[in-house]
Amino acid sequence: MVDIATRVWNHKWKIDPIVRSLIDTDFYKLLMCQSIFRNRPDTTVTFSLINRSTKVRLADLIDEGELREQLDHVRTLGLSRGESTWLRGNTFYGKRQMFRPDFMEWFEGLRLPAYHLEKRDGQFELTFEGRWPDVMLWEIPALSILMELRSRAVLQTLGRFELQVLYARAMTKLWEKIERLRATPGLRIADFGTRRRHSFLWQDWCVQAMQEGLGAAFTGTSNCLIAMRSELEAIGTNAHELPMVYAALSDSDAELAQAPYQVLSDWQEEHDGNLRIILPDTFGTAGFLQNAPDWLASWTGIRIDSGDPAAGAETAIRWWKDRGEDPRQKLVIFSDGLDVAEIERLHAQFAGRVKVSFGWGTMLTNDFRGLAAGDALAPFSLVCKAVSANGRPTVKLSDNPLKAMGPTAEIARYKRVFGVGVQKAVEVVV
């Protein structure tokens, strides 16, 4: 096991680059990339960094030259032979050859395209523009780099013994969480913490701790590189990016209303079983389910990623019952800002009523709250989103208005088209 504190103390970034591989990313990005490669390969998309926690002034903390070095390093990365073999030959979700030969040939030759970086008012403006399949894989590396550079900026002020104590306390904190979760019968939980992790080494340690501490209750990790090295299940399906871009490409309100379902129609042609998971909240869960075609009710489950998670699950249960489906046979994946108390509460409320699973993210891989002076290592909300497609702005409404994004006029239009009324705001921590 890596001595993280010593590695940080003796830190040389060429030994420990923040991003070590093109598959040091979330599994759903690769699944979506293949779908986009097949269905919308020539769409031009722009991604942009958005720091929701504006009090964290990243450009004041992080050296721009070091940021560019790390970003430039990512542009040199390509698939290794072993990584290609794993993607081509491994079984994912019970399916052999999940990734088609034409997609793999393209992916094996991919180098990430150029980026644009500026400083403005204490923040970095970081954007990526290009063909959708080429540029979309910047999202997770960009977030990982910014999050870890912020961690490094704080850690470089600490002495060797301070680092040892810091990591000992962080390990103890996580292990105490794992011990609590052991008491939850029938728990199923996965690591979803790549995008806002403290560091790669720390995420890897957290995954090993979950493996040992939870055994079969730990179902895998969203991080492809860690999954490959640890022989774990790679976990993930799809994300808001797909409906956001499909919707932006719509030429009328009628096409806009159908865009989220067109995404899932394309997805259904490629995937079955546990990969058929609905993410309904991009433009509001209630309206999405109310207008959903009947064939969607037969899908395996739903991921709850914004708003009140219990209310979202209750809405899904009612929808399944109304469509003649047995909710006890359906999977509900909770994945929004989870920590142990919320996991325990939701499991107690829904176990036996649905199949319950959890995607544990930032509070697994980056919970250093209270461990550094001034809480300087506390996690914060940083995202990298598709902001335009073929020159048209994208929109996300979410079930939490504080997560909404897009031009004001377009947000109003989307709310009208999707029938979104008054929403309850929930504080966005991560």
Side-chain angles (χ1 to χ4, degrees):
M1 183 175 293
V2 172
D3 180 347
I4 300 176
T6 298
R7 194 84 151 250
V8 170
W9 175 255
N10 294 327
H11 175 71
K12 300 293 182 184
W13 84 262
K14 293 189 184 300
I15 299 173
D16 277 326
I18 292 174
V19 176
R20 295 143 196 263
S21 163
L22 281 184
I23 67 166
D24 182 11
T25 192
D26 284 332
F27 187 55
Y28 76 77
K29 291 297 292 190
L30 301 188
L31 292 175
M32 290 195 304
C33 191
Q34 177 169 249
S35 181
I36 293 161
F37 180 80
R38 176 186 179 187
N39 296 297
R40 304 289 176 106
D42 296 321
T43 303
T44 299
V45 175
T46 301
F47 284 77
S48 183
L49 185 76
I50 301 168
N51 184 2
R52 294 172 176 151
S53 304
T54 54
K55 65 181 181 182
V56 180
R57 294 173 61 87
L58 290 174
D60 294 343
L61 292 168
I62 295 169
D63 177 75
E64 182 179 344
E66 189 172 3
L67 173 56
R68 288 185 182 275
E69 273 193 304
Q70 294 286 349
L71 293 169
D72 290 342
H73 172 71
V74 174
R75 295 194 65 206
T76 70
L77 297 174
L79 285 189
S80 71
R81 181 177 297 179
E83 291 164 351
S84 178
T85 299
W86 181 73
L87 289 170
R88 283 179 178 269
N90 196 37
T91 298
F92 300 100
Y93 286 87
K95 181 178 178 180
R96 294 280 291 178
Q97 295 183 326
M98 177 74 76
F99 297 101
R100 299 189 311 273
D102 61 338
F103 172 75
M104 285 303 306
E105 289 174 12
W106 168 83
F107 192 21
E108 287 161 352
L110 177 68
R111 297 296 183 273
L112 293 189
Y115 59 87
H116 180 74
L117 178 66
E118 292 184 29
K119 282 184 179 182
R120 194 181 304 275
D121 191 25
Q123 302 295 342
F124 287 112
E125 292 189 354
L126 179 59
T127 58
F128 314 93
E129 183 176 358
R131 291 174 68 252
W132 194 4
D134 299 341
V135 77
M136 65 176 292
L137 293 178
W138 259 121
E139 177 189 356
I140 307 301
L143 292 173
S144 298
I145 287 169
L146 267 298
M147 295 301 294
E148 186 162 344
L149 284 178
R150 184 265 199 158
S151 297
R152 292 181 179 187
V154 175
L155 296 175
Q156 70 181 1
T157 67
L158 304 183
R160 186 167 190 170
F161 288 97
E162 287 181 292
L163 287 169
Q164 291 284 356
V165 171
L166 173 77
Y167 281 105
R169 287 173 174 169
M171 290 173 179
T172 301
K173 187 176 188 179
L174 176 57
W175 193 252
E176 289 174 347
K177 292 183 183 186
I178 290 172
E179 289 180 322
R180 277 182 62 177
L181 290 174
R182 282 176 176 168
T184 304
L187 177 70
R188 291 180 59 80
I189 189 166
D191 159 40
F192 276 19
T194 299
R195 64 182 53 238
R196 286 190 287 266
R197 66 195 182 194
H198 170 78
S199 71
F200 174 84
L201 294 177
W202 181 248
Q203 182 184 13
D204 192 41
W205 188 91
C206 292
V207 168
Q208 292 180 56
M210 293 281 279
Q211 281 183 278
E212 180 173 318
L214 294 178
F218 181 56
T219 58
T221 174
S222 66
N223 186 289
C224 297
L225 183 61
I226 294 174
M228 182 187 74
R229 291 180 175 180
S230 303
E231 297 186 347
L232 286 166
E233 185 76 41
I235 302 291
T237 53
N238 54 67
H240 302 107
E241 174 184 340
L242 288 176
M244 287 172 65
V245 172
Y246 272 58
L249 298 175
S250 301
D251 291 323
S252 66
D253 286 357
E255 283 188 22
L256 175 59
Q258 290 303 308
Y261 310 118
Q262 183 59 53
V263 167
L264 299 182
S265 177
D266 288 348
W267 192 264
Q268 184 167 251
E269 289 183 10
E270 296 187 64
H271 301 297
D272 55 18
N274 283 351
L275 284 168
R276 289 187 180 176
I277 301 295
I278 303 167
L279 180 62
D281 70 318
T282 309
F283 307 122
T285 295
F288 176 94
L289 295 178
Q290 180 179 342
N291 297 307
D294 290 340
W295 53 265
L296 266 179
S298 68
W299 275 34
T300 300
I302 279 178
R303 180 158 72 92
I304 308 294
D305 196 55
S306 65
D308 182 330
E314 295 289 1
T315 298
I317 288 171
R318 288 193 299 271
W319 178 69
W320 280 317
K321 287 181 176 179
D322 290 345
R323 299 296 179 101
E325 298 284 337
D326 182 358
R328 293 171 299 178
Q329 303 304 313
K330 298 296 185 179
L331 177 63
V332 174
I333 303 171
F334 296 100
S335 62
D336 182 28
L338 297 174
D339 208 358
V340 173
E342 184 80 336
I343 292 168
E344 292 171 331
R345 180 181 72 84
L346 292 169
H347 192 275
Q349 183 172 346
F350 292 101
R353 300 175 62 198
V354 294
K355 298 176 181 179
V356 181
S357 184
F358 299 93
W360 195 10
T362 306
M363 293 307 179
L364 167 63
T365 61
N366 199 0
D367 187 5
F368 284 68
R369 292 172 297 176
L371 301 183
D375 224 8
L377 286 174
F380 62 103
S381 186
L382 186 70
V383 295
C384 183
K385 294 290 188 183
V387 295
S388 72
N390 287 352
R392 300 177 179 182
T394 62
V395 170
K396 180 186 175 188
L397 299 180
S398 178
D399 286 330
N400 180 1
L402 297 184
K403 285 189 171 183
M405 56 164 285
T408 302
E410 284 297 286
I411 288 177
R413 175 185 169 227
Y414 275 61
K415 284 185 173 181
R416 172 178 56 78
V417 169
F418 291 105
V420 176
V422 177
Q423 295 177 303
K424 180 181 178 182
V426 179
E427 182 186 6
V428 179
V429 178
V430 294

